[in-house]
Amino acid sequence: MVTLYESKPGISRRELLKRGGAAGALLVISGTAVISPQNAWGLETATLKPETMATLIQMARDIYPHDQVPDRYYAIAVKSHDAAAAKDAAHKDLIENGVADLDQRSGAGGYRGLGWEEERVKVLQQIEETPFFQAIRGGLVVGLYNQKEVWPIFGYEGESYSKGGYIARGFDDIEWL
């Protein structure tokens, strides 16, 4: 009899998730939108191609990988590049050309076609000094981590001033240490 916890040959589920990034994350590109049918969200693009936005979402997940953060928050974080591209043709060229270069470096299936996170990270390491990569990485710091909906996922309660400050609210609690 095989139990649920018995060791089996091959790759473990944990290893598969580690290598593959978001398990089962399938983004559908339709017209001017990127849609995630299994998670019921969509992102409409105004200036950038939907394929470009889908690549930016995957790139964002690979730069700042948090398995517990759903793709929709990464989509919100990179949406600012679509708005910036609408105002600035140079930004649009930077993003579209950067994604094209990323796809070319990745081979036949492009960046999103690479099946393992490790393969995608190797390609990102090749371009980490480029203005394109720096623009995406820099925008993600603010675009991803300033979303109040993401804070509870990381255990951050937000600013403390309006709640009386940190001193009376667990400043010296070190249960996490």
Side-chain angles (χ1 to χ4, degrees):
M1 173 180 231
V2 177
T3 63
L4 190 58
Y5 301 104
E6 186 174 306
S7 178
K8 297 176 184 163
I11 190 169
S12 70
R13 179 178 181 275
R14 182 177 301 274
E15 184 65 22
L16 177 66
L17 291 174
K18 180 181 165 189
R19 288 185 185 182
L26 173 68
L27 298 179
V28 177
I29 298 169
S30 174
T32 62
V34 178
I35 303 166
S36 177
Q38 70 269 41
N39 296 314
W41 65 264
L43 173 73
E44 192 169 10
T45 62
T47 306
L48 297 174
K49 295 183 274 189
E51 295 85 0
T52 298
M53 291 302 291
T55 300
L56 292 179
I57 293 167
Q58 182 62 62
M59 185 179 171
R61 182 166 281 291
D62 291 336
I63 293 172
Y64 293 109
H66 300 289
D67 292 337
Q68 72 275 27
V69 176
D71 281 344
R72 66 186 167 135
Y73 297 114
Y74 287 98
I76 292 167
V78 297
K79 177 71 173 154
S80 63
H81 291 289
D82 187 49
K87 297 176 184 175
D88 182 13
H91 190 77
K92 178 182 178 184
D93 290 342
L94 175 73
I95 301 301
E96 293 288 359
N97 293 337
V99 168
D101 179 52
L102 191 62
D103 284 340
Q104 180 188 10
R105 291 172 186 262
S106 300
Y111 182 75
R112 287 182 294 128
L114 294 174
W116 299 107
E117 180 181 6
E118 292 171 357
E119 295 173 334
R120 293 189 305 269
V121 169
K122 285 180 184 176
V123 175
L124 290 176
Q125 287 172 339
Q126 295 173 15
I127 66 162
E128 66 186 342
E129 299 297 325
T130 65
F132 164 67
F133 181 88
Q134 293 300 320
I136 301 302
R137 186 198 54 79
L140 284 171
V141 171
V142 175
L144 181 61
Y145 298 114
N146 274 4
Q147 295 180 54
K148 289 183 180 181
E149 297 82 13
V150 175
W151 294 351
I153 296 171
F154 297 118
Y156 178 60
E157 298 176 1
E159 56 83 24
S160 70
Y161 179 76
S162 65
K163 300 171 185 133
Y166 287 115
I167 300 296
R169 295 187 62 247
F171 171 75
D172 57 354
D173 291 348
I174 57 170
E175 296 172 7
W176 55 270
L177 186 59

